[in-house]
Amino acid sequence: MAAEITCGSLLQKLQLVWDEVGESDEDRDKVLYQLDQECLDVYKRKVDQATNSRDLLIQALDDSKIELARLLSALGEKAIARTPEKTSGTIKQQLAAIAPTLEKLNKQKNERVREFINVQSQIDQICGEIAGTTEVGEKVATPQVNEDDLTLERLEEFRSQLQELEKEKSNRLEKVLDYVNMVHDLCTVLGMDFLSTVTEVHPSLDDSIGDNCKSISNDTLSKLDKTVATLNEDKKLRLSKLQELAGQLYDLWDLMDAPMQERSMFDHVTCNRSASVDKVTAPGALALDLIEQAEVEVQRLDQLKYSKMKEIAFKKQTELEDIYAGAHIVIDTAAAHKKILALIEAGNIEPSELIADMDGEISKAKEEALSRKEILDKVERWMSACEEESWLEDYNRDDNRYNSSRGAHLNLKRAEKARILVNKIPVFANVMNGFILALVETLVAKTRAWEESRGMSFMYDGVPLLAMLDEYVMLRQEREEDKKRMREQKRYIEQQLNTDHEGPFGSRVSPNRPASAKKVPGAKSNGSANGTPPNRRLSVSGQQNGSHGARSGGKDGKRDAAKTASPGNVATAKEDASSHISGTDPVPSTP
């Protein structure tokens, strides 16, 4: 076994060498001194190295403590703040005690940083999509994370912000989809290309692209809003134009009496004539070609209207004349026809204006007729009552009314109807005279009230109604006086007949001799059996045709209310009636 080499054994070996060499003590002391210095230097280096190593360990321990504090602060971990530390142990022991905690906190820090990066990346992504700086699906750069603040509270703040942004994104996406649907509906109604319209706003709004990939930027929403507003305005303008055209079509159709078959060809145009904007949803209901089609039809009908202008205008004039005739108002029809013809041929007025003017006149005529209706109804009742009374009186004076001649049964039925009508009159049943006079008084009162309210005379077929009523009352009074004279004359004749029957020589009138063969004093030779000339009866209904209108035998008493009378005819009739009133000629009972 080899001997252990030590410093003493080496020194002894050195002494032996020196002895053999014969080194002096001075040289030996120098070498030994050098050896001592070299050993000191070695020890110093080792001490320095040990000191440096200790200092590094102390620095590492301090750095670990600082890192531990920083991590604890950044992560906000309160529980780890009490990490056990060996303050009394060696430096390496203290480092060994801190190392696991540092490793755990570093792992937690790295995981927390990844969470922050994930949340902040999503926030930046949504913010970029809203601002329009980032397209949907485009990846953003990795955000810078503040490693000094990695607390859960800060992370929750970012997560709350992310939730708000996700909610905002969802709301924006819903709004975008609503706008896209509105654009689709409006384009469908207006007959426009939806795809080109919506992709002009943003290419991602195409239906082939998923909803989650559609643009939700402020610019996209603003453009969609403007697009919808523009389309809605176009819809309003087109609907207004179409409704205007539909109204013109209806006016032209009504003007020219277009058949329903022709009108039905434009049902798709006129169906929205009175619809509101929101109610028009049919595809292509407001397409430009539809409006152009309606415009072409209006132009065609408008040109056709000029060629049919005379026919239309005279038709309106006929309607106006019928209204006036029904209201017994006299107008100059010939002058009106000439005026219409002159206006059309001169071309100084638009056909629509002419028709509008005539429609206005028709409306005024209807109002006038309505204001006269109550009075005219009473006039009708008055004339009907007088006519029935007159016919019944003539029938009762007819000696041949019970003969079985042809048509006699019709007269019997007619008489029965007249009696029933007379007997139905309330309060004045069997007192026809009183009823008619009361009706005349009512007519006079209402006519005067009508004239006072309008400041004009109430004309009936060109004759003042009050004058007709006054004349009728006067003639009726004269008739009653004539009837009274006739009754007195009849009694006188009967007394004369009785005197002749009991003559001075006792002679008797032959029963076979007809009483009518004896000429009655004062009777007209050309009169009827009761002394009334049937062809001289005065009648207002007879005056309506412009003549004195004789009734033959009381059987031709139908009046023609559509004919026009003149004030001169009334005056002539009055003079004629006055000239023939005598003791044997009764006054006519009809007005």
Side-chain angles (χ1 to χ4, degrees):
M1 185 176 178
E4 184 179 359
I5 298 175
T6 62
C7 288
S9 64
L10 291 174
L11 183 58
Q12 287 178 0
K13 190 174 182 179
L14 183 61
Q15 287 291 344
L16 290 175
V17 172
W18 280 340
D19 287 338
E20 291 178 1
V21 174
E23 287 289 341
S24 62
D25 291 337
E26 184 178 358
D27 293 333
R28 291 184 180 186
D29 291 338
K30 286 181 180 179
V31 172
L32 291 174
Y33 179 76
Q34 290 177 353
L35 288 173
D36 289 338
Q37 289 297 320
E38 290 177 1
C39 286
L40 284 175
D41 291 338
V42 171
Y43 277 113
K44 285 182 179 179
R45 286 196 301 272
K46 294 299 182 183
V47 170
D48 290 339
Q49 289 177 358
T51 301
N52 290 334
S53 178
R54 184 200 63 185
D55 292 342
L56 290 174
L57 290 174
I58 291 173
Q59 183 65 39
L61 180 60
D62 292 341
D63 291 342
S64 297
K65 289 180 179 180
I66 293 172
E67 179 69 13
L68 178 64
R70 190 182 67 80
L71 289 174
L72 290 174
S73 175
L75 296 173
E77 299 291 341
K78 304 294 184 182
I80 307 179
R82 298 181 180 180
T83 303
E85 297 181 11
K86 290 187 177 182
T87 57
S88 59
T90 64
I91 296 174
K92 289 184 177 181
Q93 288 175 344
Q94 294 179 31
L95 282 173
I98 293 176
T101 304
L102 283 176
E103 185 179 359
K104 180 181 178 181
L105 289 177
N106 276 319
K107 288 182 179 180
Q108 190 172 355
K109 169 195 169 185
N110 293 333
E111 184 179 348
R112 189 74 57 82
V113 168
R114 284 193 296 271
E115 291 179 359
F116 269 90
I117 290 175
N118 184 33
V119 174
Q120 286 182 237
S121 297
Q122 295 182 56
I123 291 174
D124 293 343
Q125 178 77 29
I126 296 175
C127 289
E129 292 176 3
I130 291 175
T133 57
T134 304
E135 294 297 331
V136 178
E138 180 183 351
K139 289 189 177 182
V140 296
T142 302
Q144 295 294 327
V145 179
N146 182 12
E147 296 185 0
D148 293 333
D149 189 2
L150 300 174
T151 61
L152 291 175
E153 289 81 2
R154 181 63 175 167
L155 183 60
E156 286 301 319
E157 290 178 4
F158 278 114
R159 285 174 177 170
S160 298
Q161 183 181 356
L162 178 60
Q163 289 179 354
E164 292 294 328
L165 288 172
E166 287 177 342
K167 184 178 179 180
E168 174 70 15
K169 179 179 179 180
S170 177
N171 292 336
R172 282 172 171 263
L173 181 59
E174 184 179 354
K175 188 179 293 185
V176 166
L177 294 177
D178 288 341
Y179 273 129
V180 170
N181 289 332
M182 285 190 282
V183 171
H184 180 271
D185 294 340
L186 289 169
C187 287
T188 301
V189 174
L190 297 174
M192 298 173 62
D193 184 9
F194 163 71
L195 186 60
S196 63
T197 302
V198 78
T199 53
E200 186 178 347
V201 176
H202 197 276
S204 66
L205 300 180
D206 188 358
D207 288 339
S208 60
I209 299 177
D211 292 344
N212 292 329
C213 297
K214 295 189 183 300
S215 174
I216 58 170
S217 65
N218 294 326
D219 184 60
T220 300
L221 285 172
S222 177
K223 287 182 178 179
L224 282 173
D225 184 69
K226 291 180 180 178
T227 302
V228 170
T230 302
L231 293 175
N232 274 322
E233 187 65 24
D234 289 345
K235 183 179 180 182
K236 289 180 182 178
L237 293 176
R238 291 192 189 185
L239 180 60
S240 177
K241 179 66 174 178
L242 194 67
Q243 288 177 341
E244 180 183 353
L245 292 172
Q248 293 176 4
L249 284 175
Y250 266 104
D251 293 340
L252 291 169
W253 286 337
D254 293 340
L255 200 62
M256 294 183 287
D257 289 333
M260 292 304 299
Q261 183 178 1
E262 180 181 345
R263 300 187 184 198
S264 61
M265 295 172 60
F266 289 87
D267 286 343
H268 56 293
V269 175
T270 58
C271 62
N272 295 318
R273 182 184 181 188
S274 58
S276 61
V277 176
D278 297 334
K279 298 297 182 181
V280 181
T281 56
L286 299 177
L288 286 176
D289 56 348
L290 185 68
I291 296 176
E292 291 174 0
Q293 181 185 2
E295 287 177 341
V296 170
E297 180 64 12
V298 168
Q299 291 175 359
R300 185 187 71 83
L301 292 176
D302 202 41
Q303 293 175 357
L304 186 62
K305 179 180 67 176
Y306 279 93
S307 63
K308 291 190 175 182
M309 199 59 229
K310 291 182 182 179
E311 178 185 346
I312 296 169
F314 286 132
K315 181 180 177 182
K316 291 285 184 182
Q317 181 62 25
T318 302
E319 181 182 355
L320 181 65
E321 292 171 5
D322 290 342
I323 295 172
Y324 279 129
H328 294 275
I329 299 174
V330 177
I331 60 173
D332 191 349
T333 58
H337 281 233
K338 290 181 180 178
K339 180 180 178 182
I340 292 171
L341 193 60
L343 287 173
I344 294 173
E345 292 179 350
N348 295 329
I349 186 171
E350 286 291 327
S352 56
E353 294 181 8
L354 176 61
I355 299 304
D357 292 342
M358 297 189 73
D359 286 337
E361 293 182 12
I362 289 173
S363 298
K364 292 180 181 178
K366 288 180 179 178
E367 293 176 3
E368 181 73 11
L370 185 62
S371 70
R372 297 164 60 92
K373 186 176 184 303
E374 183 180 5
I375 295 176
L376 291 176
D377 289 344
K378 292 187 179 300
V379 170
E380 188 73 19
R381 290 179 60 195
W382 167 49
M383 291 185 173
S384 297
C386 293
E387 197 172 304
E388 292 297 326
E389 181 189 33
S390 175
W391 189 91
L392 190 58
E393 286 183 359
D394 291 342
Y395 178 78
N396 289 332
R397 285 195 295 267
D398 187 3
D399 294 336
N400 298 321
R401 62 182 180 274
Y402 297 115
N403 292 347
S404 58
S405 60
R406 185 176 182 180
H409 65 289
L410 298 177
N411 287 336
L412 289 174
K413 290 182 179 180
R414 177 75 171 83
E416 186 62 25
K417 279 183 64 178
R419 288 193 186 93
I420 292 173
L421 180 63
V422 171
N423 291 330
K424 278 184 179 179
I425 299 173
V427 181
F428 298 100
N430 300 323
V431 191
M432 193 67 178
N433 183 40
F435 167 74
I436 295 178
L437 288 178
L439 186 57
V440 169
E441 290 178 2
T442 304
L443 262 175
V444 169
K446 288 190 174 295
T447 303
R448 285 177 178 167
W450 187 95
E451 292 182 348
E452 289 176 0
S453 65
R454 285 164 177 76
M456 57 186 295
S457 297
F458 189 101
M459 308 298 289
Y460 186 91
D461 290 338
V463 180
L465 181 58
L466 285 179
M468 292 170 59
L469 294 171
D470 292 341
E471 181 184 358
Y472 171 76
V473 171
M474 179 187 70
L475 295 177
R476 192 172 183 90
Q477 289 174 352
E478 292 176 357
R479 189 192 70 168
E480 293 300 325
E481 292 175 359
D482 288 343
K483 283 185 177 180
K484 183 178 180 181
R485 286 195 298 271
M486 288 178 66
R487 287 193 296 271
E488 292 175 354
Q489 189 176 23
K490 184 178 179 182
R491 286 197 297 269
Y492 173 76
I493 293 172
E494 289 176 352
Q495 291 175 0
Q496 290 295 326
L497 289 174
N498 290 333
T499 302
D500 292 342
H501 182 69
E502 298 173 357
F505 300 102
S507 62
R508 304 177 68 88
V509 178
S510 173
N512 296 327
R513 183 182 179 184
S516 59
K518 186 178 180 66
K519 187 175 181 180
V520 180
K524 302 282 175 94
S525 60
N526 59 349
S528 62
N530 58 4
T532 304
N535 58 343
R536 302 296 294 171
R537 290 184 177 274
L538 177 62
S539 147
V540 172
S541 63
Q543 295 172 16
Q544 292 171 2
N545 58 9
S547 65
H548 297 300
R551 283 200 186 99
S552 177
K555 297 179 183 179
D556 300 328
K558 298 295 182 180
R559 52 188 184 81
D560 185 5
K563 301 297 181 179
T564 306
S566 65
N569 290 336
V570 175
T572 305
K574 183 174 180 181
E575 293 173 1
D576 183 61
S578 302
S579 64
H580 288 81
I581 294 174
S582 66
T584 58
D585 294 338
V587 178
S589 59
T590 57

